[in-house]
Amino acid sequence: MTQAVQKERFSSKLLENLEPGDYVMVHAGVAIAKITDEDESETDQLYGGTAVMEEQKKRTAREIIENYDGPAVRIMEVCGTHTHEIFRLGIRKLLPKQVELISGPGCPVCVTPVSFIDEAIYLALEKQVTICTFGDLVRVPGSQMSLAGAREKGAKIHIVYSPADAEKYAKDHPEEQVTFLSVGFETTTPAGCLSVKQAKEDGISNYSLLVANKTMPGAYEALKGSADVFLYPGRVNAITGTELCEELVKEGVSGVVAGFTAKELLTALAVALVRFQEGKPFFVNCYPRVVTREGSREAQRLVNELMEGCDSEWRGLGIIPGSGMQLREEWEAYDARKKYNMPKIEGKANPACRCGDVLQGKCKPSDCKVFGKVCTPQHPVGACMVSGEGACSAYYMYDTRG
């Protein structure tokens, strides 16, 4: 998604050969991919080359979707932004009854476990650490309270636009110990790594990360039986490339990479429906102006330099082996858990909340008994109602019962 951000507010260290007038995809204060001009011939090629597909190419994506008369199909929106945009653009209203869209685990705030919020509160209240965080995390409930509740008890919670802002805050406030809450997927992780490298260059020792970054491959494996087709997140694939998605086809997993405009989403859904009718696993990159097969090698090298894989807990999915990230031993001075000798903290989620089921596509937000009643954006019971990418907030915002 293109963002209109002033040049001085984001880093372009991961991209080479940028020129004035170039469009870039910005995430967490870092330009992660260059957006090329759209090529109509590329869009045509997405449908493939069979006789049926040649006929389909003569119809618009909207016509393909509205007139779909194939078998029932469940398409999982892995990315929370896709969920919101599909609602906002009214695309759900075009879908025939046999096409079902279900939400997945692509909202970073939503999949972050309760224990992580408890850890952040521990640092803020017990260690008097200044917590720098994205705004979405402030109201996510922990076992006893949210970060907003901790702030009412005297904790210092500072909302930032990016990890770079958190590092700058630490540099400007040497008398404070500062920890950035590093959540997100492959798209956000490079920004946290850049902030750590900058802290080392600046020679500051009062900055650290509380890391809960995750990688998507394990989640795809865990959920491959939950949907017929994955709507892959374009921003993640801008970093990782498409090789993994191509490999998953061999395991019977189908999917399409989607962009974020109305045309890009309609095209991706239309391609998914056309290819699904063939009856065999498939993968199509429907976002070629941003996503390449190799992805961002520079971002991959950066993350590999500073971080390594580890087992990680996902809200609703439990522990997924190798799906998390942690700072390597040589960078552990910036690891908040080690810096502050963090004890093992077990979080306890509200039993009334069904966020875990929503994130697995097992239910719709409107199936939850507390949805829209006890649980609202003003008084959230679970993370999926808090986040701007959460499925529950999307259902609530667009006043739907599914």
Side-chain angles (χ1 to χ4, degrees), residues 148-386:
R151 183 165 53 192
E152 293 174 359
K153 293 180 177 292
K156 202 163 186 180
I157 311 298
H158 185 65
I159 296 175
V160 295
Y161 166 73
S162 69
D165 288 345
E167 191 274 340
K168 184 177 185 301
Y169 180 90
K171 182 180 179 181
D172 293 343
H173 298 81
E175 73 284 0
E176 298 179 31
Q177 290 295 322
V178 178
T179 293
F180 175 72
L181 304 187
S182 187
V183 302
F185 303 116
E186 289 91 340
T187 320
T188 312
T189 306
C193 291
L194 284 174
S195 74
V196 168
K197 292 196 79 171
Q198 187 63 51
K200 185 174 183 179
E201 290 178 16
D202 289 340
I204 63 174
S205 60
N206 64 327
Y207 180 67
S208 61
L209 301 183
L210 184 61
V211 180
N213 294 93
K214 293 173 168 53
T215 56
M216 291 305 302
Y220 296 146
E221 289 286 347
L223 292 169
K224 62 184 180 183
S226 300
D228 299 305
V229 182
F230 283 136
L231 196 65
Y232 289 121
R235 285 185 295 222
V236 167
N237 287 103
I239 298 293
T240 65
T242 62
E243 293 180 29
L244 169 67
C245 302
E246 294 167 13
E247 287 297 314
L248 284 172
V249 174
K250 299 176 184 177
E251 300 181 26
V253 178
S254 296
V256 294
V257 177
F260 300 90
T261 67
K263 181 177 181 180
E264 289 163 348
L265 285 165
L266 286 170
T267 297
L269 289 170
V271 169
L273 295 178
V274 170
R275 298 296 295 269
F276 182 70
Q277 292 182 82
E278 287 192 306
K280 57 184 180 181
F282 62 88
F283 168 72
V284 183
N285 176 13
C286 296
Y287 200 22
R289 67 193 187 111
V290 171
V291 175
T292 62
R293 189 171 191 274
E294 65 275 8
S296 172
R297 295 300 192 198
E298 188 61 34
Q300 294 165 21
R301 282 193 292 269
L302 171 68
V303 172
N304 187 58
E305 177 189 350
L306 272 74
M307 292 195 173
E308 60 187 1
C310 64
D311 297 345
S312 183
E313 180 185 357
W314 296 56
R315 187 187 299 258
L317 300 179
I319 302 292
I320 300 180
S323 66
M325 301 298 292
Q326 63 184 11
L327 287 166
R328 293 183 180 276
E329 184 177 354
E330 53 266 40
W331 296 92
E332 66 179 14
Y334 300 95
D335 185 330
R337 291 186 180 91
K338 294 180 179 178
K339 182 174 183 178
Y340 298 104
N341 297 312
M342 180 88 71
K344 178 68 175 177
I345 296 177
E346 298 286 349
K348 185 178 180 180
N350 189 321
C353 175
R354 295 193 67 187
C355 276
D357 290 336
V358 171
L359 293 168
Q360 297 177 79
K362 291 182 176 180
C363 76
K364 294 180 180 179
S366 50
D367 295 330
C368 179
K369 292 182 179 179
V370 299
F371 173 80
K373 301 168 186 172
V374 177
C375 184
T376 66
Q378 292 74 34
H379 301 284
V381 173
C384 296
M385 185 62 86
V386 178

Side-chain angles (χ1 to χ4, degrees), residues 59 62-70 94 96 98:
R59 305 161 68 190
R62 176 170 179 165
E63 289 171 338
I64 292 171
I65 293 169
E66 290 182 317
N67 295 294
Y68 176 74
D69 60 358
L94 305 179
Q98 70 270 40

